[in-house]
Amino acid sequence: MTGSSNAGRIRVAVIGGGRSTEHEVSLASAASVRSALDPAAYDVVALTIGRDGLWRDAAERPLADSPAASLSAALAVLAGCDVAFPAMHGPQGEDGTLAALLDLADLPYVGAGVRAGALAMDKWATKLVAEAVGIAVAPGFLVTADCADRVRFDGPVVVKPVAAGSSHGVSLVTEEAELAPAIAAALAVDDRVLVEHLVTGREVDLAVLQRADGSLAVGPPLEILLDDGRLFDTEQKYDGGARFLIPAALSADEHDGLVEASLALFGALGCRGVARCDFFLTADGPVLNEVNTMPGMTAQSQVPKMFAHQGLTYPALLDELVRGALHRPTPGAHRPLPAADPTTERVRT
């Protein structure tokens, strides 16, 4: 272990906040994680990244007066910890940014590494990976500010930022007059936008958990129950009005197809810890919506609810994630280069 634990407890830094539109959601996840980690086993250190980029301590005091200086101070705090739990959602957190920092600091951490975080946050890249492993995705195309005025309406579409979460900047467009404002709203969140044909189907999510022993478990499917014509948008996600059915009523073939697709995505993206895979279940089978490598982590969030239904309590889920991070080697660390084979060695010129 890298830190100096208190009375044999594991010192875990729980990091929340961030500079993305999901700042408040991340604060809620981090607060919930901190309160649920067993105090007999864990010595919790709270770190928060403010909207201004300043790192703050448990009392919300800035560690220094600039983002760079506060980051330097935060690294000193992290050096005294055994493991980090980045309860971060959205860009500059979930997208591999924070994972890269922790890799460089040689500190184990919960969740996806740099590659998986970056790929899954980029919805366009996720679609390409999904198609490569045989998983259907919604037909669509990429839009930037340079070509936004040339997009033509061709039936109902969903417009979304490529790299954002919590449905910020997402619009359902059913009429031509709505298209340009929807693209503008998405471009206000990200400089690349996806315009996808509307997929008609049930919204069913699955969660893949990498247990502390390295084995993979898939939680029971969760169906999001929506009124006709509604998107599962930011308002429905966080106003308490969303309705979830666990387990979703699926046939054996539907269930097996979703599980197979979720495991394939988890492996192809290189996920670690936990990931939530969101699908539309259509008459022709599952169609991928997106993958979240650090989904909401309050006790009432979808992933904890899924595993709680299976008998894995919220504190036990967090324990699996932290212990898994501790038992997993830091990528690229302490790997000696293989000895040169004199029969194949070549002289550089």
Side-chain angles (χ1 to χ4, degrees), residues 111-334:
V114 177
R115 177 183 59 191
L119 282 173
M121 179 56 61
D122 188 312
K123 295 179 176 63
W124 180 248
T126 302
K127 287 165 67 81
L128 298 177
V129 172
E131 288 182 301
V133 295
I135 298 169
V137 300
F141 52 90
L142 195 66
V143 177
T144 64
D146 292 337
C147 63
D149 60 349
R150 298 195 295 274
V151 178
R152 296 292 175 259
F153 182 73
D154 186 26
V157 293
V158 175
V159 177
K160 61 180 72 171
V162 166
S166 294
S167 296
H168 290 289
V170 177
S171 303
L172 172 61
V173 175
T174 58
E175 299 179 5
E176 185 174 2
E178 301 170 340
L179 182 59
I183 292 174
L187 284 171
V189 178
D190 189 16
D191 59 2
R192 294 182 304 147
V193 169
L194 273 176
V195 177
E196 296 182 333
H197 292 185
L198 181 65
V199 175
T200 301
R202 298 161 61 190
E203 294 200 29
V204 181
D205 300 346
L206 274 78
V208 180
L209 170 66
Q210 185 178 34
R211 292 187 177 274
D213 64 6
S215 63
L216 298 180
V218 180
L222 175 150
E223 182 172 4
I224 302 167
L225 303 176
L226 300 170
D227 297 329
D228 289 343
R230 289 293 304 274
L231 283 180
F232 189 41
D233 55 18
T234 303
E235 180 183 354
Q236 291 212 70
K237 285 181 178 179
Y238 302 117
D239 68 358
R243 294 172 294 145
F244 301 142
L245 177 63
I246 310 173
L250 303 174
S251 70
D253 286 345
E254 290 170 336
H255 178 270
D256 292 348
L258 287 166
V259 169
E260 181 180 354
S262 298
L263 290 172
L265 282 166
F266 194 91
L269 292 169
C271 297
R272 300 193 317 230
V274 68
R276 195 188 75 227
C277 302
D278 302 347
F279 296 94
F280 299 109
L281 186 57
T282 73
D284 297 321
V287 175
L288 178 68
N289 183 17
E290 62 181 53
V291 177
N292 289 272
T293 55
M294 181 48 71
M297 270 294 150
T298 72
Q300 298 306 311
S301 298
Q302 289 158 258
V303 169
K305 277 180 172 287
M306 292 183 207
F307 286 109
H309 191 276
Q310 207 172 47
L312 185 65
T313 66
Y314 180 53
L317 171 63
L318 300 179
D319 186 65
E320 286 280 357
L321 290 170
V322 174
R323 288 191 297 113
L326 282 167
H327 295 159
R328 190 182 306 119
T330 303
H334 311 305

Side-chain angles (χ1 to χ4, degrees), residues 7-194:
R9 294 183 296 167
I10 296 168
R11 182 166 293 156
V12 52
V14 179
I15 308 171
R19 306 180 79 168
S20 79
T21 55
E22 295 187 82
H23 178 86
E24 295 295 334
V25 180
S26 177
L27 290 181
S29 286
S32 186
V33 169
R34 290 196 304 267
S35 65
L37 285 169
D38 182 2
Y42 298 106
D43 177 22
V44 177
V45 176
L47 286 170
T48 300
I49 304 173
R51 294 184 187 276
D52 55 6
L54 296 179
W55 289 67
R56 291 170 163 82
D57 63 16
E60 290 297 312
R61 294 180 300 238
L63 300 181
D65 59 3
S66 73
S70 68
L71 171 58
S72 178
L75 284 171
V77 174
L78 291 169
C81 296
D82 301 305
V83 61
F85 196 125
M88 299 284 290
H89 311 306
Q92 296 193 23
E94 187 182 354
D95 61 355
T97 307
L98 192 52
L101 175 72
L102 297 170
D103 279 341
L104 290 171
D106 202 16
L107 182 66
Y109 56 91
V110 170
V114 177
R115 177 183 59 191
L119 282 173
M121 179 56 61
D122 188 312
K123 295 179 176 63
W124 180 248
T126 302
K127 287 165 67 81
L128 298 177
V129 172
E131 288 182 301
V133 295
I135 298 169
V137 300
F141 52 90
L142 195 66
V143 177
T144 64
D146 292 337
C147 63
D149 60 349
R150 298 195 295 274
V151 178
R152 296 292 175 259
F153 182 73
D154 186 26
V157 293
V158 175
V159 177
K160 61 180 72 171
V162 166
S166 294
S167 296
H168 290 289
V170 177
S171 303
L172 172 61
V173 175
T174 58
E175 299 179 5
E176 185 174 2
E178 301 170 340
L179 182 59
I183 292 174
L187 284 171
V189 178
D190 189 16
D191 59 2
R192 294 182 304 147
V193 169
L194 273 176

